[in-house]
Amino acid sequence: MATATSSYIPLAERSIWSDVQPIPQDDAPDALVPIMYSQEYKDAMDYFRAVSARKEYSDRALELTESILRMNASHYTVWGYRMTTLLVLKKELNEELELMNSFARENLKSYQVWHHRLLLLTHISPEHPTEEIDYIHESLLPDAKNYHTWAYLHWLYSHFSSLGRISEKEWSEELRWCEEMIRVDGRNNSAWGWRWFLRISRPGAEGIKDDGKEEIEYTLRAIHRIPHNVSAWNYLRGSLKYLKKPLTPLLPAILPYTEREDVTITAKEETNLPMPSNPLPRDTPLPISYALEFLAESYQEQGLSIEAAAVYTELSEKYDRMRSAYWAYRAKRCVV
Amino acid sequence: MSEFYPSIYTLPQVHLSSNGQPSDTFIEQSETERIISQLLLTRPPPALQAITPLEITNSGENGEGEKKDDTLQVELTKLRTQEHATFLGKWFFSLPAGVISLDASRPWLMFWVVHSLDLLGVILPQPFRDRSVATLLKFLHPQGGFGGGPVNTHLPQLLPTYASICSLAIVGGPGEDGGWSAVAEARQKIYEFFMRCKQPDGSFVVCEGGEVDVRGTYCLLVVACLLDLLTPELLHNVDRFISSCQTYEGGFSCSAYPFSSTSPSSDSMDKSNPIIRAPMAEAHGGYTSCSLNSSFLLRSIVPPTGAPSLDENFPSPIDVESAIRWSVLMQGEAIEAGGFKGRSNKLVDGCYSWWVGGGFSVLEELARREAGVERSLPILFNNVALQEYILVAAQNESGAGGGLRDKPGKRPDAYHTCNNLSGLSIAQHHMIHSSTRLTELRETFDSSKGLPAIRPVSSDGGWKSEEERQSVRREVWASILAWDEEGEENVVGGKQNRVNATAPVINILLSRVKPFINYFYQQE
């Protein structure tokens, strides 16, 4: 940045801007929270104010907005002006998309960069968003939990499936990609959230069609692979609740994590449930609080309030004391 | 009670188990546990290692506790108020070019600084208050709403509108240069700006041409409630949008997508709901805060007598118990010093002290209402551990320039300072929504007083009767003022660590909410 400043030619000295009178920022005298702008930023903004005040949509305005956004990718007003200019000038939006690839890499946490991209895709409206999907998959490799990127991927599939442009084959390829993400890092909760969209919450999702059997088995296998993984436990609870299915039939697959060999299972046992590995994965201390919670809820489901309360109390007093007050609350709730 | 809120120093330091699968998430988690637990070992120096939890002072009964007070221990867990005030002063008066990415967020810079000072009890001299007001009024757009900076540069946007209004509540006043009268004059324009942001599915874009997410909804609702701007057309579908952002985990995502009901696979959908909405990402602390607070405000609108202008089922429900469970599980273990995470399997970060910790007052109140009981619920998170995280892990090292941060090893900034201190306030003060006060307030409301009624944008967008409008005004006003502190303060590390009580939902001091909302509802 220091080198850029030393070779910097002020806009006032460039002939292309000679017809424009720059406008300074209208801050209060002695304004507080002032930012000590670099000369380059202040200069560019002075001309941006002039250009936008007279609604000039031009190539030089585009260049100006680009140089400002390279310095400050969070300037939503400048982004908006740039988008209007692109549309007024009927620019080739695919070129803008390529430019955005370089922006996104440097500004992964900027809301505006992702929103600009979303608007571009809406306007370009490709027959198949294949390239865009590949690009998003690729950009998740170095930053596998970037919230903006995942939200954008959700939007991409929602928008283009609403237009009828996502084929069954593409849905199943996306699911395979998602499963690969979970295979590489089973604790990636963003990938679990994506699975939920693909399998359960989107219109036409397949995961709810076989009474959730496939989802439940997939999730149980994930729990058995990484038994302390909160993402998989939450997904299991979420699916059962969504499908309004009881917890109790799954107990045989959960009980080994509760370290309670004494529990007798009264409910009908589900056959062919994926079972925990024997021996358990190394470094798997027991009991696991998520499993105890599962057991307690199963007791509640069976009307065994006292047993349920006892498990919650153990969580409160012994196994998960950080959340002592919460488990005590749960214990109290099941006996009143 | 203290057995329900154990100190991190009394809990075993248990690391996340690898299960023989050391994936990237596990590696990052282990590194964070290592950094924080080192700090826990080195903080109380060797001679003090074996001691006991950080001292807890209940302002009522502290006879024995104060006696074994160890000066060194107190020094180590002290809230370094003076250092933080100095740190905030730097952000207030001059910011380096390096923070250029916040150039469109100057109302936020202002809010983080003045609210943090308020929490710390640092009094801002009048000339600085006047300068703050003058600064903010330059951000008020003639077409309504506040921009991220002066209006000859920035378009109005919902987020800076919240930050500006809250800042004005803190630094401004009813006098000529206090800024409140300028805002009062701008009410209709602000409302029209809000309506320009409104989308048919109940969401709001943050500015014209901008993105949709629940931050916008939250910021808009706070301002609309404080300034007396609510109408049926503004509220239409907002509740449905918020509810549909709740994920299977119990927390809320940034947004939800409205699928048209005419999609080919609409056979599985609920016929009573014209559109299928799907959350647009996983549950997240920031969006959960915005959603829960929005949800609470929406629940504060309907008077006991009902509001016929609103949809029959307004406000649509959220799953309170699963939101509680998710929020509780966001609290890190003792080895992470009991701070909050923002998502499952992510790392603790001081900013969630407010985003997640600050949600509990609302959650406890919503759960109380669902249970249909009079008495307030107990505090459901570990408020002692959260204070310890903030004091021990989130404070910049003593003598290093002040400020609070994400976690050890990260640089402090105004945003993390404000969110940590706001979380500290919620952990020290047990805030409840008092039904007694609510009843009293409803009775004292004078419906003959008020600023001009908002003119709806569409001809049928207003309240069906003046009586209904008044009953909604009364309910909103009373509900916002019904927050109260219950019981003793619970201040970890000694009384000198006390910060002022912040109001749930809005996050400015309770003492700032009252004069401000009274000005806009013309109440006394």
Side-chain angles (χ1 to χ4, degrees), chain A residues 4-201:
Chain A
T5 316
S6 59
S7 61
Y8 178 68
I9 304 162
L11 297 189
E13 292 169 24
R14 302 184 205 180
S15 56
I16 187 176
W17 290 109
S18 57
D19 61 317
V20 175
Q21 188 60 40
I23 299 175
Q25 175 157 284
D26 182 28
D27 239 325
D30 295 327
L32 288 165
V33 288
I35 297 174
M36 300 298 110
Y37 301 126
S38 67
Q39 184 205 352
E40 201 173 338
Y41 185 78
K42 185 189 164 296
D43 200 17
M45 284 308 301
D46 287 349
Y47 279 80
F48 173 75
R49 278 179 280 269
V51 164
S52 58
R54 63 190 210 188
K55 294 195 167 38
E56 175 188 315
Y57 302 111
S58 61
D59 281 320
R60 67 179 183 181
L62 272 186
E63 277 173 40
L64 185 63
T65 55
E66 183 183 336
S67 64
I68 293 167
L69 295 168
R70 285 196 183 280
M71 290 183 271
N72 176 11
S74 303
H75 207 311
Y76 63 88
T77 306
V78 176
W79 277 114
Y81 198 82
R82 181 174 180 83
M83 181 52 81
T84 308
T85 310
L86 288 166
L87 296 177
V88 169
L89 298 182
K90 298 194 169 59
K91 287 286 173 184
E92 177 49 69
L93 296 181
N94 278 306
E95 283 175 22
E96 180 74 356
L97 197 60
E98 265 179 44
L99 181 69
M100 283 311 104
N101 293 351
S102 68
F103 263 89
R105 256 171 234 123
E106 288 152 34
N107 300 285
L108 276 169
K109 286 199 168 180
S110 159
Y111 282 88
Q112 289 75 23
V113 172
W114 287 102
H115 183 61
H116 192 71
R117 194 171 188 103
L118 181 154
L119 294 177
L120 287 173
L121 257 287
T122 311
H123 284 291
I124 296 170
S125 201
E127 207 40 57
H128 285 286
T130 325
E131 270 180 49
E132 188 66 358
I133 291 167
D134 290 345
Y135 172 78
I136 296 303
H137 286 175
E138 202 181 303
S139 65
L140 281 166
L141 288 177
D143 190 9
K145 295 182 181 177
N146 185 290
Y147 199 87
H148 296 294
T149 319
W150 282 105
Y152 181 80
L153 186 61
H154 279 73
W155 171 81
L156 197 60
Y157 271 90
S158 301
H159 179 75
F160 284 95
S161 67
S162 294
L163 297 172
R165 296 184 196 169
I166 305 287
S167 67
E168 282 312 311
K169 183 166 159 282
E170 283 164 317
W171 282 120
S172 51
E173 277 171 9
E174 187 61 28
L175 181 64
R176 272 204 296 282
W177 176 82
C178 179
E179 290 184 349
E180 178 61 13
M181 291 296 281
I182 294 176
R183 192 192 62 76
V184 171
D185 185 352
R187 301 176 181 91
N188 184 340
N189 201 58
S190 309
W192 281 97
W194 185 225
R195 182 179 179 88
W196 183 270
F197 176 84
L198 294 173
R199 294 287 292 165
I200 297 184
S201 66

Side-chain angles (χ1 to χ4, degrees), chain A residues 37 41 76 185 187 190 241, chain B residues 21 25 103 155 282 319:
Chain A
Y37 301 126
Y41 185 78
Y76 63 88
D185 185 352
R187 301 176 181 91
S190 309
K241 189 166 186 177
Chain B
Q21 292 274 341
T25 299
D103 188 37
L155 293 171
E282 69 190 297
D319 184 341

